[in-house]
Coordinates of all heavy atoms in Angstrom, one line a residue:
L738 N 50.5 -24.3 -27.0 CA 49.9 -25.6 -26.8 C 50.0 -26.1 -25.4 O 49.4 -27.1 -25.0 CB 50.6 -26.6 -27.8 CG 52.0 -27.0 -27.5 CD1 52.2 -28.1 -26.5 CD2 52.7 -27.3 -28.8
C739 N 50.8 -25.4 -24.6 CA 51.2 -26.0 -23.3 C 50.5 -25.4 -22.1 O 50.4 -24.1 -22.0 CB 52.8 -25.8 -23.2 SG 53.5 -26.5 -21.7
H774 N 60.6 -41.7 -16.7 CA 60.4 -40.9 -17.9 C 60.6 -39.4 -17.4 O 59.8 -38.9 -16.6 CB 59.0 -41.1 -18.4 CG 58.6 -40.3 -19.5 ND1 57.9 -40.8 -20.6 CD2 58.7 -39.0 -19.8 CE1 57.6 -39.8 -21.5 NE2 58.1 -38.7 -21.0
K805 N 64.8 -42.8 -19.2 CA 64.4 -42.3 -20.5 C 64.1 -40.8 -20.3 O 63.1 -40.4 -19.7 CB 63.1 -43.0 -20.9 CG 62.6 -42.6 -22.3 CD 61.3 -43.3 -22.7 CE 60.1 -42.7 -22.0 NZ 58.8 -43.3 -22.3
P839 N 62.8 -39.9 -24.7 CA 61.4 -39.9 -25.1 C 61.1 -39.1 -26.4 O 62.0 -38.4 -26.9 CB 60.7 -39.2 -23.9 CG 61.8 -38.3 -23.3 CD 63.1 -38.9 -23.6
G840 N 59.9 -39.2 -26.9 CA 59.6 -38.7 -28.2 C 59.0 -37.3 -28.3 O 58.6 -36.9 -29.3
G841 N 58.9 -36.6 -27.1 CA 58.1 -35.4 -27.1 C 58.7 -34.2 -27.8 O 59.9 -34.3 -28.3
G842 N 57.9 -33.2 -27.9 CA 58.5 -31.9 -28.5 C 58.4 -31.9 -30.0 O 58.7 -30.9 -30.6
E844 N 55.7 -32.2 -31.9 CA 54.5 -31.5 -32.3 C 54.1 -31.9 -33.7 O 53.9 -33.0 -34.0 CB 54.6 -30.0 -32.0 CG 55.4 -29.6 -30.8 CD 55.1 -30.3 -29.5 OE1 54.2 -31.1 -29.4 OE2 55.7 -29.9 -28.4
N879 N 62.1 -42.3 -29.0 CA 60.8 -42.4 -29.5 C 60.4 -41.2 -30.3 O 61.2 -40.2 -30.3 CB 59.8 -42.6 -28.4 CG 60.0 -43.9 -27.7 OD1 60.6 -44.9 -28.2 ND2 59.6 -44.0 -26.4
T881 N 56.9 -38.6 -31.6 CA 55.5 -38.3 -31.3 C 54.9 -37.4 -32.4 O 55.7 -36.8 -33.2 CB 55.3 -37.6 -30.0 OG1 56.1 -36.4 -30.0 CG2 55.8 -38.4 -28.8
L883 N 51.8 -34.3 -32.2 CA 50.6 -33.7 -31.5 C 49.6 -33.4 -32.5 O 49.9 -32.6 -33.4 CB 51.1 -32.5 -30.8 CG 50.1 -31.8 -29.9 CD1 49.8 -32.6 -28.6 CD2 50.6 -30.4 -29.5
I914 N 54.3 -42.3 -30.9 CA 53.2 -42.1 -30.0 C 52.4 -40.9 -30.6 O 52.8 -39.8 -30.5 CB 53.7 -41.7 -28.6 CG1 54.6 -42.8 -28.1 CG2 52.5 -41.6 -27.6 CD1 56.0 -42.3 -27.8
L916 N 49.9 -38.1 -30.0 CA 49.4 -37.4 -28.8 C 48.2 -36.5 -29.1 O 48.3 -35.6 -29.9 CB 50.6 -36.5 -28.2 CG 51.9 -37.2 -27.9 CD1 53.0 -36.2 -27.5 CD2 51.6 -38.2 -26.7
A917 N 47.1 -36.8 -28.5 CA 45.9 -36.0 -28.7 C 46.0 -34.7 -28.0 O 46.1 -34.7 -26.7 CB 44.7 -36.9 -28.2
F918 N 45.8 -33.6 -28.7 CA 45.9 -32.3 -28.0 C 44.8 -32.1 -27.0 O 43.6 -32.4 -27.2 CB 45.8 -31.2 -29.1 CG 45.9 -29.8 -28.5 CD1 46.9 -29.4 -27.7 CD2 44.8 -28.9 -28.7 CE1 47.0 -28.2 -27.1 CE2 44.9 -27.6 -28.1 CZ 46.0 -27.3 -27.3
H919 N 45.3 -31.6 -25.8 CA 44.3 -31.3 -24.7 C 44.3 -29.8 -24.6 O 45.3 -29.2 -24.2 CB 44.8 -31.9 -23.4 CG 44.5 -33.4 -23.3 ND1 44.8 -34.3 -24.3 CD2 43.8 -34.1 -22.3 CE1 44.3 -35.5 -23.9 NE2 43.7 -35.4 -22.7
T923 N 45.3 -23.8 -21.9 CA 46.3 -23.4 -22.9 C 45.8 -22.2 -23.6 O 44.6 -21.8 -23.5 CB 46.6 -24.5 -24.0 OG1 45.6 -24.6 -24.9 CG2 46.9 -25.9 -23.3
K954 N 52.2 -46.6 -30.1 CA 51.7 -46.6 -28.7 C 50.4 -45.9 -28.6 O 50.2 -44.8 -29.2 CB 52.7 -45.9 -27.8 CG 52.5 -46.0 -26.4 CD 53.6 -45.2 -25.6 CE 54.9 -45.9 -25.5 NZ 55.9 -45.1 -24.6
Y956 N 48.7 -44.1 -26.1 CA 49.1 -43.6 -24.8 C 47.8 -43.3 -24.0 O 47.1 -42.3 -24.2 CB 49.9 -42.3 -25.0 CG 50.4 -41.6 -23.8 CD1 51.0 -42.3 -22.7 CD2 50.4 -40.2 -23.7 CE1 51.5 -41.7 -21.6 CE2 51.0 -39.6 -22.6 CZ 51.5 -40.3 -21.6 OH 52.0 -39.7 -20.5
M959 N 46.5 -39.9 -22.6 CA 45.9 -38.9 -23.4 C 44.6 -39.4 -24.1 O 43.7 -38.6 -24.4 CB 46.9 -38.4 -24.5 CG 48.0 -37.5 -23.8 SD 48.8 -36.4 -24.9 CE 50.1 -35.8 -23.9
D977 N 51.9 -47.8 -23.3 CA 52.8 -47.1 -22.4 C 52.7 -47.9 -21.0 O 52.7 -49.1 -21.0 CB 52.4 -45.7 -22.2 CG 53.6 -44.9 -21.7 OD1 54.5 -44.5 -22.4 OD2 53.7 -44.7 -20.4
I985 N 51.9 -33.3 -17.4 CA 51.7 -32.4 -18.6 C 50.3 -32.5 -19.1 O 49.7 -31.4 -19.3 CB 52.7 -32.9 -19.7 CG1 54.2 -32.6 -19.3 CG2 52.4 -32.1 -21.0 CD1 55.2 -33.1 -20.2
A989 N 46.6 -29.8 -18.6 CA 45.8 -29.4 -19.8 C 44.4 -30.1 -19.8 O 43.8 -30.3 -20.8 CB 46.6 -29.7 -21.1
Ligands
V47_1150 O1 56.4 -32.9 -25.5 C1 52.2 -30.7 -24.4 C2 52.8 -32.8 -25.7 C3 54.4 -34.2 -24.9 C4 50.1 -30.8 -24.5 O2 58.4 -41.2 -25.6 C5 50.6 -31.9 -25.1 O3 57.5 -42.9 -24.7 C6 48.5 -32.7 -25.5 O4 56.0 -36.8 -25.3 N1 48.0 -31.6 -24.9 C7 54.8 -35.0 -23.6 N2 49.8 -32.9 -25.5 C8 54.3 -36.4 -23.7 C9 55.3 -37.3 -24.5 C10 55.3 -38.7 -24.3 C11 54.3 -39.3 -23.5 C12 54.3 -40.7 -23.3 C13 55.4 -41.5 -23.8 C14 56.4 -40.9 -24.5 C15 57.5 -41.7 -25.0 C16 56.3 -39.5 -24.8 O5 53.1 -33.9 -24.8 C17 55.1 -32.9 -25.1 C18 54.1 -32.3 -26.1 O6 54.4 -32.7 -27.4 N3 51.9 -31.8 -25.0 N4 51.1 -30.0 -24.1 C19 48.7 -30.6 -24.5 N5 48.1 -29.5 -24.0

Side-chain angles (χ1 to χ4, degrees):
L738 67 89
C739 183
H774 175 137
K805 181 181 77 178
E844 321 311 1
N879 293 337
T881 58
L883 184 72
I914 308 120
L916 300 172
F918 178 57
H919 281 53
T923 74
K954 192 181 279 187
Y956 184 40
M959 286 202 190
D977 200 83
I985 295 177

